[in-house]
Amino acid sequence: MNSDVIIIGAGPGGYETAVYAAKKGLSVTLFEQRKAGGTCLHEGCIPTKCLCRSAEIADTITDCDTWGFHVSAPTIDFRRIMERKNEVVAQLTSGIEFLLKHKLITYISERAELFDAHTVISESGEKYTAAHILIATGSTAKRPPIEGCDLPGVLTSTEMLDIDHIPQKLCIIGAGVIGLEFASIFRSFGSTVTMLEYAKEILPNFDSDISKRLKQVLSKRGIEFYNQAAVESIERSGAQLLVHYTHKGKECSTEADIVLIAVGRSPRVESIGLDNAGIRYSPKGIETDDTLRTNIPGIYAIGDVNGHCMLAHAASFQGRKVIDHILGIDNRIKLDIIPAAVFTRPEAGMVGLTEEECKQRGVPFTVKKTLFRANGKAISMGEPNGLCKLIADENGKIIGAHIFGAHAADLVQEVSALMNRETTVAQLKEMIHAHPTLSEILQECAREF
């Protein structure tokens, strides 16, 4: 069977690219061995956001006296929380499957791999050819080589989303985005949470001012952090798991009902026929150029599998960029401006360069900060903990934003839009913002320059 484009993998990068290509008049054959939607919909972004919302409600009820409501202590129905999560995922999966019924899209629910540089072979043995092949196979949760990592009760984020109870004691190895979101969620549900992180700070890729403040607030919520902690082994001790680690040279251990391994994700490069096609890759992902092309003409790699930026929205826009490149369309998508967020309580969001990156690259910059506690909307919401940090270059152009506080993910998106239009802090000062809104924090920060 022949088509204009073959896509292997129907996560956000795969299915959104298929729909976009079809709208542009290209015929597409799309393969997915599991369910359409990929990691984001089934094992990541969406299910965790459902749990984040339930955790937010739990916190609101706990603090209801502050808002003038007196209620008895609520009982958490964890079964219902997980049911709702599954309902949301099912609803969105159905929506994606509807989109894929486009007349120019052939959706095949089978595993597929490259047969050679021009051909893909399906699980059932059928061969498919196309002028252009996109690899969008995503990533898998890492399991580090720690003794006892395969014991029952030692889970990755994938299995954590299907547990049937709230653990009394939860130990999380890794304090990146995934680990912190689960820590925040299950602390709200009543778990005792201990976090072990090898690096000096949590959220190693975020601005240090943001990660330090987030750690302070989460610590006040009762989450226990141990940075510079190297996990040595995990063993079963009766009904508990015992995690052994060294912390700043001292041997330590902690007990847990469940141990969550949250040390990142690995590009899914195995068993997809990369060697058959002669594609260059490593454990860090498939090698690509600025247009997402591999070393083999006509073959591209988008999303987690190329290791550039493991975010669902990055995959979607990489796919759009590829299709435009194929069609010769002038594409101005700036893949160096990709906002990111961690949905803890409070949230953290970022886009562009951090202060540390500016120093490392020798980029002249100016940085200014504004606190949430000076914002009327934040105070009225009962969310005074927060920081906004803007970074501008020597010409005043905004090159970075780092926000910690309520709705940080939404606030950083405004800055992302401004950065795409090369806006200066002087221009931001003159843009009228509605009052009272959290977005005024951005303008107030710009006025500090």
Side-chain angles (χ1 to χ4, degrees):
M1 181 176 174
N2 186 51
S3 57
D4 295 320
V5 179
I6 289 175
I7 302 175
I8 305 175
Y15 83 78
E16 290 195 23
T17 302
V19 172
Y20 180 68
K23 287 181 178 178
K24 293 293 184 180
L26 298 175
S27 60
V28 181
T29 302
L30 176 64
F31 292 92
E32 175 54 59
Q33 65 181 11
R34 297 179 297 171
K35 293 181 179 179
T39 296
C40 176
L41 177 53
H42 299 284
E43 302 170 5
C45 318
I46 300 304
T48 53
K49 300 304 98 60
C50 291
L51 299 186
C52 284
R53 175 58 176 156
S54 294
E56 180 183 14
I57 292 172
D59 290 340
T60 301
I61 294 173
T62 300
D63 297 334
C64 64
D65 284 359
T66 302
W67 310 101
F69 295 90
H70 304 289
V71 298
S72 57
T75 300
I76 296 179
D77 185 348
F78 190 66
R79 180 188 61 81
R80 177 58 196 143
I81 288 172
M82 299 300 273
E83 278 182 355
R84 179 183 174 275
K85 179 261 296 182
N86 293 336
E87 289 165 2
V88 170
V89 170
Q91 178 182 339
L92 292 173
T93 302
S94 177
I96 292 170
E97 291 172 347
F98 177 78
L99 290 174
L100 296 179
K101 290 180 180 179
H102 192 286
K103 62 182 180 180
L104 290 178
I105 299 175
T106 301
Y107 179 54
I108 301 175
S109 299
E110 292 184 26
R111 188 180 70 82
E113 65 179 61
L114 292 159
F115 181 77
D116 58 32
H118 306 286
T119 312
V120 168
I121 186 168
S122 70
E123 191 174 358
S124 58
E126 294 291 323
K127 292 181 180 179
Y128 299 79
T129 59
H132 309 282
I133 298 173
L134 275 69
I135 303 169
T137 48
S139 62
T140 58
K142 287 182 181 177
R143 273 193 181 270
I146 297 172
E147 182 183 349
C149 205
D150 56 351
L151 286 171
V154 181
L155 313 177
T156 68
S157 57
T158 301
E159 298 88 42
M160 193 72 187
L161 287 166
D162 284 325
I163 63 172
D164 59 4
H165 67 286
I166 298 170
Q168 183 179 352
K169 295 179 182 178
L170 172 63
C171 176
I172 301 177
I173 301 173
V177 173
I178 297 170
L180 287 170
E181 287 189 357
F182 277 108
S184 182
I185 289 165
F186 281 93
R187 182 67 194 122
S188 296
F189 291 160
S191 298
T192 297
V193 181
T194 302
M195 301 204 74
L196 306 177
E197 169 57 51
Y198 184 78
K200 281 188 176 182
E201 294 293 341
I202 67 171
L203 283 179
N205 295 326
F206 272 62
D207 186 272
S208 60
D209 277 342
I210 302 302
S211 60
K212 287 175 182 176
R213 285 175 179 267
L214 179 58
K215 182 180 177 181
Q216 288 173 357
V217 172
L218 293 180
S219 294
K220 288 180 180 177
R221 289 183 54 196
I223 297 173
E224 197 167 15
F225 289 92
Y226 292 94
N227 286 84
Q228 296 177 278
V231 177
E232 304 293 340
S233 64
I234 306 169
E235 65 171 322
R236 173 66 63 180
S237 177
Q240 296 284 293
L241 290 161
L242 199 58
V243 182
H244 300 284
Y245 62 98
T246 56
H247 179 236
K248 298 180 179 180
K250 182 181 178 181
E251 293 185 1
C252 308
S253 63
T254 187
E255 283 189 342
D257 308 325
I258 287 179
V259 176
L260 170 62
I261 304 291
V263 294
R265 300 185 65 82
S266 298
R268 194 190 299 270
V269 294
E270 299 84 9
S271 304
I272 55 175
L274 297 180
D275 294 325
N276 298 338
I279 293 172
R280 288 199 294 263
Y281 68 98
S282 73
K284 294 181 179 180
I286 296 174
E287 295 180 19
T288 65
D289 63 15
D290 291 342
T291 61
L292 291 313
R293 291 180 298 188
T294 69
N295 61 299
I296 302 300
I299 301 182
Y300 301 77
I302 64 171
D304 288 7
V305 75
N306 64 34
H308 295 330
C309 181
M310 290 190 173
L311 295 170
H313 44 288
S316 300
F317 277 88
Q318 287 176 8
R320 183 176 289 253
K321 194 173 185 71
V322 166
I323 297 303
D324 286 349
H325 180 263
I326 289 170
L327 294 173
I329 296 173
D330 182 25
N331 185 300
R332 299 183 182 181
I333 295 172
K334 298 180 178 180
L335 293 177
D336 59 334
I337 302 177
I338 302 178
V342 52
F343 293 90
T344 46
R345 293 208 64 222
E347 296 175 358
M350 66 169 288
V351 64
L353 298 177
T354 65
E355 190 173 348
E356 293 86 349
E357 286 173 332
C358 288
K359 293 175 182 177
Q360 290 168 2
R361 299 181 187 186
V363 176
F365 71 96
T366 304
V367 59
K368 298 295 180 181
K369 306 173 188 177
T370 302
L371 299 175
F372 272 50
R373 64 170 176 257
N375 178 266
K377 182 66 179 292
I379 297 301
S380 65
M381 292 170 61
E383 298 283 358
N385 289 315
L387 169 73
C388 173
K389 182 175 182 178
L390 292 181
I391 301 175
D393 67 11
E394 57 189 340
N395 298 313
K397 184 176 72 174
I398 302 169
I399 58 174
H402 307 276
I403 304 174
F404 161 67
H407 299 284
D410 301 310
L411 292 173
V412 84
Q413 183 57 47
E414 178 182 340
V415 185
S416 179
L418 295 175
M419 287 174 60
N420 271 277
R421 292 297 176 261
E422 300 188 346
T423 305
T424 65
V425 286
Q427 291 170 323
L428 175 54
K429 292 178 190 179
E430 298 172 349
M431 297 177 182
I432 298 174
H433 285 61
H435 176 76
T437 61
L438 292 175
S439 63
E440 290 176 288
I441 294 169
L442 299 174
Q443 191 171 57
E444 287 301 320
C445 195
R447 287 173 178 166
E448 294 295 319
F449 283 85

